[in-house]
Amino acid sequence: MILCLIFSTIGTAISFTFEKISNSGIKQRTPTISFVKNLNYTFKHIFKSNRLKALILYASFFASLLSVFRTFMNSLLVSLYVPEMFFGFINAGIQIVSAFSSRNQNFFHKKLKNRTLTFFAIPLSSLILLVGLCVIAKLPIFLTGIVVFCMIFFYALVKGPYYTLIKRYLNSFVPASTTSKVYAANTMIDSVFRSLTYFSASFLLKITTTPYAYIVLGSVFTIIFIIVLDYMKTRVGLAPEEYKPSDIQIDIK
């Protein structure tokens, strides 16, 4: 963790020394102050769009859940006394399922349409909650195993297409010159949310057992997604003529 922090800091410091090359081929050094002003300008214009605000909010929470899922999954498998030799097979299976589902991301988009993000979020958070309840209730290991398998399989199923589709949705109605700025804003906010989620998850696992941590995690994210998805109803997935001009006419110079 310390090495990651050191190298991330060095990389960030180096990035401030990059030079912008103009169309004429002349290198132009962008001062740090100008970079900060430009970043502020970018965020100001992006967040005038209610559509982008809703998508970035959803993306930040869902990416945080996907990121912390692996840690919770490993902790659960250890608490269920799953032999370590199976961890590699489980992770390989996750990657295989994710690869197939990612390849068929257009199927999810066409089949589910504007319910795609709801299909990704609510079942996954609900399955996490259900797994915690099954372990706490000490159900037969066979039943618990089925629920755990369903949770891991569904995680693998949605993880693949999600990252492709969320970029597709963020990119909609956005001119090519602005796409990179929208992605950058999403990445920055997403990173903040992930960090907070990791800290919260580590604290949760420290003060309680894995099954109770699952119940808390599943409950919290289910409630969050219900609220966020309700907020998105009137802001995302509408016909072009139903949007306000400020929601889709985004062009950051």
Side-chain angles (χ1 to χ4, degrees):
M1 289 176 66
I2 294 172
L3 285 173
C4 286
L5 177 60
I6 291 172
F7 285 118
S8 296
T9 303
I10 293 172
T12 302
I14 292 173
S15 69
F16 282 114
T17 67
F18 289 167
E19 296 175 336
K20 181 180 179 181
I21 300 178
S22 64
N23 293 332
S24 61
I26 300 174
K27 295 180 180 180
Q28 298 176 340
R29 176 70 179 276
T30 303
T32 302
I33 295 176
S34 297
F35 169 80
V36 174
K37 285 183 178 180
N38 184 50
L39 190 64
N40 182 51
Y41 175 82
T42 299
F43 272 86
K44 183 179 178 181
H45 280 71
I46 285 175
F47 289 126
K48 284 183 179 179
S49 168
N50 291 322
R51 177 183 165 279
L52 280 179
K53 279 193 295 187
L55 278 173
I56 290 175
L57 182 65
Y58 173 93
S60 299
F61 280 116
F62 193 70
S64 298
L65 179 59
L66 291 181
S67 298
V68 80
F69 181 90
R70 281 295 184 90
T71 302
F72 273 73
M73 182 190 75
N74 291 334
S75 179
L76 177 69
L77 294 177
V78 170
S79 67
L80 292 177
Y81 303 104
V82 176
E84 289 81 357
M85 62 176 290
F86 290 111
F87 279 49
F89 292 107
I90 292 171
N91 282 288
I94 288 173
Q95 296 304 322
I96 292 171
V97 174
S98 294
F100 278 108
S101 62
S102 179
R103 184 179 180 183
N104 294 285
Q105 51 86 21
N106 207 41
F107 168 80
F108 289 92
H109 176 70
K110 288 184 176 180
K111 191 74 175 177
L112 300 169
K113 298 181 180 178
N114 59 355
R115 301 189 305 275
T116 304
L117 297 181
T118 302
F119 173 78
F120 286 174
I122 298 298
L124 182 59
S125 59
S126 299
L127 281 169
I128 291 173
L129 172 60
L130 184 59
V131 165
L133 292 173
C134 288
V135 177
I136 292 296
K138 297 182 179 179
L139 295 181
I141 189 65
F142 176 73
L143 292 177
T144 301
I146 291 176
V147 178
V148 171
F149 171 81
C150 290
M151 178 191 69
I152 296 175
F153 178 81
F154 191 80
Y155 160 77
L157 185 71
V158 302
K159 184 175 78 77
Y162 165 74
Y163 288 107
T164 302
L165 289 175
I166 195 64
K167 284 184 169 57
R168 178 175 179 174
Y169 298 152
L170 288 169
N171 191 38
S172 299
F173 306 111
V174 176
S177 59
T178 307
T179 301
S180 60
K181 295 181 175 65
V182 173
Y183 289 164
N186 177 62
T187 301
M188 290 183 67
I189 297 172
D190 176 67
S191 298
V192 173
F193 273 73
R194 287 193 197 203
S195 298
L196 293 173
T197 303
Y198 271 121
F199 280 121
S200 301
S202 61
F203 175 75
L204 195 59
L205 289 172
K206 182 180 179 181
I207 64 173
T208 189
T209 59
T210 301
Y212 284 105
Y214 261 74
I215 292 174
V216 173
L217 184 75
S219 301
V220 170
F221 271 97
T222 299
I223 293 170
I224 287 173
F225 286 131
I226 290 173
I227 295 171
V228 171
L229 289 166
D230 183 66
Y231 173 77
M232 293 172 66
K233 276 184 181 178
T234 57
R235 296 169 176 84
V236 179
L238 309 178
E241 62 273 11
E242 294 180 297
Y243 285 109
K244 297 178 182 178
S246 60
D247 290 338
I248 59 177
Q249 294 176 5
I250 303 165
D251 193 4
I252 305 170
K253 304 300 182 182

